[in-house]
Amino acid sequence: MRQAADHITRRAPEDVMRLKRLGSLHQCRLSFMRVLTRRMARENWKFTRPVFNINADGVGNAVYTAQGPDRAYSLVAFAHDLPPEMRSDRVIATAWDATFTLFDGVPDAADIQRLSQNVPLQEAGRVSGREISVSRANRSVRLWAHFVDALAAGQQPDQEKIDAVGYLMRTTAVYGSGKLGASDREGIADREEMAVPFQAEMLSVFLTRTFVRDLVQHVANAKGGDQAVALDPNIARQLGIGNSTGLGMAPFIVNHPVLFNNWIMVREEAIARVRALKSASADERDVFTSLLQRSAKSVDQWRSEHPIQIKKLNELKADLKLLNAYLSGGALAGDAPWDKLMNWAATALTEEGQELVASLMLEPYGDLVDGLTTCMADSNKEAFVIDGAATIAQTRALIKDSFGWAFDTDWTEKENQARAWYVSEEKLEPRLGERFEEPIAEYEQPLAPARDAVAAFNALASYDADQPIAEFLLQHPEHRHTIRRAQISQIAPYGEIRDNTISASVLPIDMLRAKLSFFGATRFDPRSDRWVRICMYAGAPYPDELTHENADLWVYPEVAQ
């Protein structure tokens, strides 16, 4: 019987919800990709490829079906002949190497025909409630050509080239939740396999990876004929699906405070549960140290050309040396080992190292933490309803509690309000502009909750403490979003970023990484302070290989013994 120590409280929001820490989060066993692969293996999902209508040039369509216990989902893929000059990862692109939709069920010929006239158009097309997500991808041109040429010539691809990129295609968008006419999240939320957030999108990417493997093999076979060889399965497993993510994702965690709170709170609760353990068994210690070694290999394989990430990687490598030295003294064999480890890491390691430790600590304890994933969705529809009867005094207290740090910021200083979030007219996508250099202030989106909280707090000062907040909002509707956020904070203590999202020094990539870490992404490679490339499912088994034994720890590369 596992014994717990005295109750360990979750880390405080004022420590966890800083952008620098959020921008240092790593994938863990709570991440959505791993939740999905564990489920599919546990439930013995079946996978088929009922359609593969692709010509020798790699153009055509294919269908990949995943059959779960209760229902099936099918990736409908369209491969295109894209001229090089049209290939772009930007959201304004109008053509891609491949486009996809996740179909609810198994499509017939009429469905595929309908989808062929819409999915390749992406934003210019429309899908229906039978479709759950829509996505697109571009080739990594040089690695794709290398794979085709090598396999066609009877050779395996070069390992160094694989290590430098890590994927043959990268998605530039995976849309769900009603985008382009697809099914809304509410339409699938009550399905057990979709209860955890983003499971449909993760399934789409999982099947996309299989399509990419099959497509490059098909093109190589067509080119090489009898001389062509099959791609080594060990090499294929190294390949993930890349992703280019920009500012469109950054406002998500601001606009979804309850959902993001649930993600963070579940992770913090899992960490607290492990920290509370009085001891770690030999097997549990072995799991941790083994995955630490495998993580070190992953860090060595992590490539980036951005100075911010290069610095963080160098610091993380130094952290790993300190961590190994700490563990060499048998620290995990003593009392309350995980609590002591976290306390040591808090002063000895950078945020990047601390959060890697926090993620790795969870790995030996699936039975203790995996059940928490059912709490990560947001089903609280009442949270956004403002309680108009709450008093002015109660509201000011809530604002102070959630945004107390913001009152130390001089919001009249230009550097503290240098940026403004707005939506571009052309693509209806979020953008971050320079407030004092561009005429954008009148188009600003409410994505500076800290500044707005201070403004609302000051505006409330002239009202009687016992007045209902409804009277204030009748006169000042511009503060509704702040009052709503203040009331939400009562159920979502981790719902607010404790940093200035419009300062001259804000790094949107911190917000991107926070969200992508919960997806389970690896190899974060910022290309500026506003967009990042990542890899998804690198190391994972393909559908025909998926078993209970390999369904989870695939994210950690194997280390030669």
Side-chain angles (χ1 to χ4, degrees):
M1 183 73 176
R2 183 181 289 142
Q3 288 185 315
D6 294 336
H7 177 68
I8 299 289
T9 58
R10 295 188 289 265
R11 292 185 293 178
E14 53 265 32
D15 296 327
V16 176
M17 300 305 294
R18 302 300 302 274
L19 278 175
K20 189 176 180 183
R21 185 170 298 279
L22 293 173
S24 299
L25 296 185
H26 296 262
Q27 69 77 34
C28 68
R29 63 179 305 113
L30 303 171
S31 298
F32 305 144
M33 275 185 262
R34 293 176 63 188
V35 171
L36 177 65
T37 54
R38 287 198 302 267
R39 172 183 289 278
M40 292 190 299
R42 183 175 67 249
E43 297 178 347
N44 195 29
W45 285 38
K46 304 298 182 184
F47 300 91
T48 56
R49 192 183 75 180
V51 176
F52 195 79
N53 182 25
I54 306 289
N55 67 20
D57 295 323
V59 177
N61 60 73
V63 175
Y64 290 76
T65 297
Q67 177 66 59
D70 300 316
R71 55 187 64 84
Y73 301 93
S74 298
L75 181 78
V76 184
F78 299 94
H80 311 293
D81 183 13
L82 184 64
E85 65 272 12
M86 294 189 67
R87 187 175 291 108
S88 172
D89 287 352
R90 295 189 64 192
V91 72
I92 60 173
T94 57
W96 303 268
D97 285 311
T99 52
F100 311 90
T101 186
L102 187 68
F103 185 86
D104 192 358
V106 181
D108 59 21
D111 291 316
I112 296 173
Q113 175 63 24
R114 169 179 60 85
L115 294 170
S116 72
Q117 297 172 348
N118 288 277
V119 173
L121 302 178
Q122 295 287 290
E123 282 93 336
R126 295 291 289 175
V127 294
S128 73
R130 293 295 308 277
E131 288 74 56
I132 300 173
S133 71
V134 180
S135 55
R136 66 272 192 122
N138 284 330
R139 297 173 184 173
S140 177
V141 177
R142 282 176 291 182
L143 192 61
W144 180 275
H146 171 68
F147 264 64
V148 170
D149 292 343
L151 295 174
Q155 302 170 353
Q156 293 298 321
D158 181 80
Q159 187 64 50
E160 288 188 6
K161 289 183 170 63
I162 297 169
D163 291 342
V165 180
Y167 53 81
L168 289 172
M169 277 195 188
R170 58 181 173 270
T171 58
T172 62
V174 181
Y175 293 133
S177 299
K179 185 82 169 182
L180 313 182
S183 172
D184 190 78
R185 163 71 183 171
E186 290 187 0
I188 61 173
D190 61 347
R191 302 179 183 183
E192 185 177 349
E193 69 273 17
M194 295 294 166
V196 176
F198 288 96
Q199 293 298 275
E201 291 84 351
M202 296 304 100
L203 177 58
S204 174
V205 176
F206 181 74
L207 296 174
T208 294
R209 177 170 173 260
T210 307
F211 166 73
V212 172
R213 179 200 62 177
D214 291 356
L215 182 64
V216 76
Q217 185 72 63
H218 177 79
V219 174
N221 290 346
K223 181 176 182 178
D226 293 340
Q227 189 178 7
V229 296
L231 177 62
D232 185 330
N234 292 320
I235 292 177
R237 276 191 294 274
Q238 296 177 43
L239 298 169
I241 288 293
N243 175 267
S244 295
T245 296
L247 282 178
M249 184 180 282
F252 181 92
I253 60 178
V254 178
N255 287 331
H256 296 82
V258 177
L259 182 63
F260 195 57
N261 166 83
N262 294 352
W263 298 4
I264 298 291
M265 184 178 283
V266 160
R267 185 173 184 270
E268 291 303 313
E269 174 62 25
I271 293 168
R273 287 185 181 185
V274 174
R275 292 181 74 172
L277 296 174
K278 286 187 175 182
S279 62
S281 70
D283 286 345
E284 291 162 352
R285 298 196 302 269
D286 287 346
V287 170
F288 179 84
T289 54
S290 171
L291 294 181
L292 175 60
Q293 291 177 348
R294 292 166 65 175
S295 289
K297 182 176 180 179
S298 182
V299 172
D300 286 339
Q301 294 174 342
W302 191 341
R303 303 284 188 271
S304 180
E305 298 177 2
H306 195 281
I308 292 176
Q309 192 59 46
I310 291 173
K311 180 175 183 290
K312 293 180 76 170
L313 282 173
N314 288 334
E315 291 173 344
L316 182 55
K317 290 174 182 178
D319 285 344
L320 289 171
K321 291 180 180 179
L322 292 172
L323 178 57
N324 281 309
Y326 173 81
L327 296 174
S328 66
L332 297 184
D335 294 337
W338 306 115
D339 188 45
K340 289 177 180 176
L341 175 59
M342 283 291 287
N343 288 334
W344 170 81
T347 58
L349 307 182
T350 65
E351 284 95 340
E352 190 90 30
Q354 293 168 31
E355 296 310 318
L356 178 60
V357 167
S359 288
L360 288 174
M361 275 172 37
L362 307 183
E363 295 296 359
Y365 300 106
D367 60 329
L368 191 63
V369 305
D370 287 356
L372 291 168
T373 59
T374 60
C375 303
M376 296 179 83
D378 173 17
S379 58
N380 190 342
K381 298 179 181 179
E382 301 301 316
F384 278 69
V385 178
I386 295 174
D387 177 11
T391 67
I392 299 294
Q394 290 171 334
T395 304
R396 295 190 90 206
L398 290 174
I399 294 174
K400 264 290 190 180
D401 184 58
S402 291
F403 295 98
W405 63 270
F407 289 82
D408 297 327
T409 300
D410 184 350
W411 294 100
T412 65
E413 289 288 337
K414 282 190 173 183
E415 65 181 22
N416 292 328
Q417 51 171 328
R419 306 280 177 77
W421 294 87
Y422 65 99
V423 174
S424 71
E425 182 178 16
E426 181 182 16
K427 296 298 292 186
L428 299 179
E429 288 280 340
R431 296 287 184 267
L432 186 61
E434 302 297 326
R435 182 186 306 277
F436 301 109
E437 298 175 14
E438 306 170 63
I440 55 176
E442 65 178 294
Y443 305 108
E444 184 174 10
Q445 297 291 297
L447 295 171
R451 178 204 60 190
D452 295 351
V454 172
F457 184 89
N458 293 335
L460 286 164
S462 61
Y463 284 73
D464 292 339
D466 294 333
Q467 280 184 280
I469 195 65
E471 292 186 15
F472 169 79
L473 290 176
L474 282 172
Q475 301 297 320
H476 297 283
E478 69 274 16
H479 293 301
R480 287 181 62 86
H481 67 286
T482 295
I483 305 308
R484 177 180 291 110
R485 298 187 78 94
Q487 293 188 356
I488 285 175
S489 71
Q490 297 173 96
I491 62 166
Y494 296 93
E496 296 295 347
I497 295 172
R498 307 290 175 117
D499 268 311
N500 183 0
T501 55
I502 56 170
S503 75
S505 59
V506 68
L507 296 175
I509 52 175
D510 288 336
M511 290 183 259
L512 302 182
R513 176 160 171 183
K515 184 182 179 185
L516 291 167
S517 71
F518 281 96
F519 286 5
T522 57
R523 302 180 190 179
F524 298 92
D525 181 16
R527 295 308 176 105
S528 75
D529 65 350
R530 303 182 185 202
W531 72 284
V532 63
R533 281 185 179 168
I534 59 165
C535 199
M536 307 175 76
Y537 286 112
Y542 285 87
D544 56 304
E545 304 170 326
L546 185 64
T547 67
H548 180 73
E549 288 72 26
N550 64 18
D552 194 18
L553 299 181
W554 51 262
V555 72
Y556 300 104
E558 295 288 348
V559 176
Q561 298 299 319

